[in-house]
């Protein structure tokens, strides 16, 4: 740690004087009059000279409470058949393979499909020991809940240090109830959950000018997802800019450390996208390269020229950009830390995939630590300023953050806990559970999207009716291959489940109905049971199936 960094921390935590009032300096006459100390601002903004035990436990108390909140939402969604094969089932199959020391081959994504060819997330393997002890989709959902909640610890700790404990409660509540985190907690499991606490700890270190610690926390982002190397590069750029005047830390000047981190992030993402992902992908390319293609402009040059306008069109993009920073009452935009959100926002707004533009799914979870780190940083500047209205400005800002959080809360998934339907098991759910219980362990099953994660812990599952098709979906103008699963379970009218509307997926209901009929008439499947729109089929022995097809 550089000299200026250490002095800054002392000033933050112990005050400018560093000595009790009235204590004589070294070699000074004992009778020398000392200037009267400047009164500290009133209220919770008075800094703590030394954190007491309850204050030290404040962040962890919030983490425990938020973990329980997120876990309740996630578990209830799974019990109500609101989780999906795309994505909870996919990640469970990958972690299940890691738990048995195998490559993450995921039947839900295609025959022999290695998931490292979809996104580069080898850090998922850290969950394998937990899954080996508890092989259940609930294991992943609870792990995600804990990871998302853990990110509040560095944010609340930093806020308590520079703003006071009451302010830390507001920051913790604002982060915990923010729509980006709520949307991730309420939609299956995703690898980005691993990145959220890593980035939160890195941002706290940046705020305290602990450059080496920030890089250590941010470096594993390269192993979470291929685009997060650019976020690591943004951390390096911030260190290069803000740490340029600091003394060397551990023998490495902050500017040099920042430049090395920037280069490592860019190079890491480039290698993952251009080399590693194509090497694992059965098709030999980057599975999501089309999302950032030439688009409607026809060429890469035209795409780059129109990029500033395309980042705001259609209107949903501009709305999302505002909503990302809304939980901080837009105050995060006053901090240079908010620039670390630029890589994620850039690829999302320039993507050709409409799912990336809005507020649903998990795409904004990684942005919420940045937003609240920016909030803390901007308010800390006012807290330590000599402006006569500094303390009042901080209090008013935190009240505004609290108000915005409460206003936005009913519009996003945490509000599901207050809905009666969340706590009611319908006859449709009971019928589904009864039919799924008739499928033996260890068999192959083609299942509807919302039934798949109910089976992935004990069966080899593919999505009905892809059977599978090498990871390609939505291609309606071709014939689907012959089904190979021993069992088929099909839910014709699954109920609405945020963020998806009710209805069939991935193909229209008439096409799926036709595939169900073809399975019976052409491929030897027989109806085992039907209940409440759910059909369970089992494949008959080949000879009997041929005789039955001949009779038809």
């Amino acid at each position: 740690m550089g000299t200026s960094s250490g002095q800054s921390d002392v000033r933050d935590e112990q005050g400018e004087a560093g000595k009790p009032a009235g204590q004589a300096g070294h070699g000074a006459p004992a009778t020398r009059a000392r200037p009267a100390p400047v009164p500290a601002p009133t209220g919770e903004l008075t800094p703590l000279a030394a954190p007491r035990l309850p204050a030290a436990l404040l962040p962890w108390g919030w983490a425990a409470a938020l973990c329980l909140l997120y876990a309740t939402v996630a578990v209830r969604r799974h019990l109500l058949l609101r989780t999906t094969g795309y994505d909870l089932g996919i990640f469970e199959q990958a972690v299940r393979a890691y738990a048995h020391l195998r490559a993450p081959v995921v039947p839900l994504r295609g025959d022999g499909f290695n998931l490292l060819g979809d996104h580069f997330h080898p850090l998922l393997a850290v969950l394998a020991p937990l899954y080996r002890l508890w092989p259940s989709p609930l294991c992943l959902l609870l792990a995600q809940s804990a990871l998302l909640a853990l990110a509040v610890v560095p944010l609340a700790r930093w806020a308590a240090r520079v703003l006071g404990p009451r302010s830390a409660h507001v920051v913790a509540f604002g982060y915990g109830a923010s729509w980006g985190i709520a949307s991730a907690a309420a939609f299956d499991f995703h690898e980005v959950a691993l990145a959220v606490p890593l980035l939160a700890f890195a941002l706290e270190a940046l705020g305290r000018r602990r450059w080496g610690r920030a890089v250590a926390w941010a470096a594993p982002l390269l192993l979470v997802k291929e685009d997060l190397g650019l976020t690591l590069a943004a951390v390096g750029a911030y260190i290069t800019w803000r740490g340029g005047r600091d003394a060397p830390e551990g023998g490495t000047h902050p500017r040099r450390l920042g430049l090395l981190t920037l280069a490592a992030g860019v190079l890491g993402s480039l290698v993952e996208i251009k080399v590693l992902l194509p090497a694992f992908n059965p098709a030999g390319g980057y599975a999501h390269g089309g999302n950032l293609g030439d688009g409607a402009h026809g060429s890469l040059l035209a795409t780059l020229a129109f990029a500033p306008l395309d980042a705001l069109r259609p209107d949903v993009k501009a709305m999302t950009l505002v909503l990302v920073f809304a939980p901080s009452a837009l105050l995060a935009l006053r901090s240079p830390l908010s620039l670390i959100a630029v890589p994620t926002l850039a690829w999302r707004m320039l993507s050709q995939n409409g799912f990336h533009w809005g507020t649903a799914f998990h795409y904004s979870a990684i942005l919420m630590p940045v937003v609240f780190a920016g909030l803390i940083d901007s308010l800390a500047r006012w807290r330590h300023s000599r402006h006569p209205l500094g303390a009042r400005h901080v209090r008013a800002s935190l009240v505004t953050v609290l108000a915005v959080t409460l206003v936005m809360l009913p519009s996003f998934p945490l509000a599901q806990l207050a809905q009666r339907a969340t706590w009611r098991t319908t006859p449709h759910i009971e019928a589904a559970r009864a039919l799924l219980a008739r499928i033996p362990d260890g068999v192959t099953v083609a299942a509807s999207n919302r039934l798949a994660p109910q089976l992935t812990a004990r069966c080899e599952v593919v999505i009905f009716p892809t059977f599978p098709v090498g990871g390609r979906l939505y291609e309606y103008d071709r014939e689907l291959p012959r089904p190979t699963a021993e069992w088929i379970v099909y839910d014709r009218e699954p109920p609405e489940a945020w963020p998806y509307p009710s209805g069939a997926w991935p193909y229209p209901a008439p096409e799926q109905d036709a595939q169900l009929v073809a399975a019976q008439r052409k491929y030897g499947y027989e109806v085992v049971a039907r209940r409440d729109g759910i059909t369970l089929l089992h494949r008959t022995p080949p000879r009997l199936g041929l005789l039955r097809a001949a009779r038809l």
Side-chain angles (χ1 to χ4, degrees):
M1 179 177 64
T3 303
S4 64
S5 175
Q7 292 174 346
S8 175
D9 288 335
V10 170
R11 285 195 296 270
D12 285 349
E13 297 176 19
Q14 297 181 355
E16 292 287 348
K19 296 180 182 179
Q23 178 177 329
H26 179 69
T31 57
R32 175 179 292 181
R34 297 183 61 82
V38 178
T42 59
E44 81 278 1
L45 297 176
T46 303
L48 298 175
R52 295 187 298 257
L53 183 61
L57 292 179
L58 181 154
W60 295 100
W62 269 104
L66 293 176
C67 181
L68 179 62
L69 176 67
Y70 303 152
T72 302
V73 173
V75 171
R76 284 305 300 169
R77 289 187 75 252
H78 185 69
L79 296 178
L80 294 173
L81 308 184
R82 296 179 180 179
T83 53
T84 62
Y86 275 61
D87 295 311
L88 177 58
I90 287 174
F91 283 107
E92 184 181 4
Q93 288 183 337
V95 176
R96 184 183 182 187
Y98 281 132
H100 291 87
L101 304 180
R102 300 195 304 262
V105 173
V106 174
L108 279 164
R109 283 291 280 122
D111 193 15
F113 192 99
N114 189 318
L115 200 61
L116 290 175
D118 183 35
H119 289 298
F120 192 74
H121 38 50
L123 201 61
L124 275 178
V126 301
L127 300 178
L130 294 176
Y131 187 85
R132 189 64 183 263
L133 295 173
W134 184 24
S136 166
L138 296 179
C139 176
L140 299 188
L141 294 176
L142 293 183
Q144 175 171 263
S145 299
L147 289 165
L148 295 176
L150 179 61
V152 81
V153 171
L155 296 174
R157 184 170 59 197
W158 182 17
R161 179 179 294 110
V162 299
L163 301 175
R166 294 183 185 176
S167 302
H169 285 298
V170 176
V171 170
F173 176 70
Y175 165 82
S178 62
W179 64 265
I181 297 298
S183 297
F187 179 54
D188 293 10
F189 171 90
H190 296 88
E191 74 281 88
V192 74
L194 295 164
V196 174
L198 289 172
L199 185 57
F201 280 100
L203 289 162
E204 181 201 24
L206 289 177
R208 300 186 63 191
R209 306 179 76 84
R210 306 288 181 85
W211 310 125
R213 187 177 299 178
V215 173
W217 280 111
L221 294 176
L222 276 171
L223 304 179
V224 177
K225 197 161 172 275
E226 64 276 5
D227 66 279
L228 291 177
L230 300 180
T231 300
L232 175 62
V235 170
Y238 181 89
I239 294 173
T240 303
W241 175 33
R242 304 292 289 181
R245 294 187 300 272
D246 282 2
E249 176 183 328
T252 301
H253 194 281
R255 178 168 291 171
R256 189 178 306 129
L257 176 65
L259 290 172
L260 289 173
T261 304
L262 191 159
V266 173
L267 182 62
S269 282
L270 189 63
V271 169
E272 289 172 3
I273 292 173
K274 292 294 187 180
V275 179
L276 297 179
L277 284 165
F280 287 110
N281 191 297
Y286 179 37
H288 304 278
N291 291 336
L292 295 174
D294 295 339
H297 302 298
S299 69
L300 180 60
L301 184 61
T303 298
L304 293 175
F306 284 95
L309 290 176
D310 290 339
L312 299 175
R313 300 181 301 186
D315 294 344
V316 64
K317 295 182 179 180
M319 180 63 68
T320 297
L321 289 173
V322 173
L323 288 177
V324 162
F325 294 97
S328 70
L330 305 183
L331 293 171
L333 292 171
R334 298 171 56 179
S335 167
L337 285 173
S338 62
L339 295 174
I340 294 175
V342 169
T344 297
L345 289 172
W347 74 255
R348 285 181 58 190
M349 296 301 107
L350 297 177
S351 171
Q352 303 299 313
N353 186 343
F355 285 147
H356 296 156
W357 305 339
T359 58
F361 307 106
H362 57 287
Y363 300 113
S364 297
I366 194 68
L367 299 174
M368 294 299 103
V370 180
V371 169
F372 281 90
L375 171 67
I376 297 168
D377 184 51
S378 65
L379 293 183
R381 297 168 188 272
W382 278 92
R383 163 66 183 85
H384 294 291
S385 73
R386 296 184 178 274
H387 196 285
L389 298 180
R392 182 178 298 179
H393 171 78
V394 173
R395 285 194 292 270
S397 299
L398 291 170
V399 169
T400 305
V401 168
L402 183 61
V404 170
T405 301
L406 292 173
V407 167
M408 297 180 70
L409 190 58
S411 301
F412 291 94
L414 293 182
Q416 294 175 8
L417 292 177
Q419 298 172 0
R420 184 179 301 177
T422 301
W423 306 101
R424 178 173 173 264
T425 301
T426 65
H428 186 84
I429 296 170
E430 293 176 346
R433 290 177 180 171
L435 295 186
L436 292 174
R438 301 181 67 170
I439 300 175
D441 293 351
V443 299
T444 57
V445 185
S448 293
N449 189 37
R450 294 182 195 167
L451 300 180
Q454 307 293 323
L455 297 165
T456 43
R458 61 186 184 89
C459 300
E460 183 173 305
V461 184
V462 296
I463 288 290
F464 176 84
T466 58
F467 300 137
V469 293
R472 301 187 308 275
L473 294 177
Y474 315 117
E475 297 182 18
Y476 304 114
D477 57 347
R478 54 159 172 75
E479 179 133 356
L480 292 173
R482 177 190 183 96
T484 58
E486 300 170 63
W487 294 78
I488 292 176
V489 58
Y490 169 53
D491 189 351
R492 191 180 191 281
E493 297 182 358
E496 183 176 356
W498 185 95
Y500 292 120
S502 60
W505 185 91
Y507 303 103
E511 181 171 346
Q512 298 201 129
D513 290 342
Q515 291 295 328
L516 192 71
V517 172
Q520 299 172 65
R521 293 183 176 178
K522 295 172 59 177
Y523 303 125
Y525 287 83
E526 292 186 345
V527 176
V528 174
R530 280 195 180 100
R531 284 185 60 182
D532 204 38
I534 305 171
T535 303
L536 179 64
L537 303 180
H538 182 241
R539 186 176 56 190
T540 58
R543 180 173 296 180
L544 294 178
L546 291 174
L547 292 174
R548 186 171 182 268
R551 288 198 300 269
L552 294 174

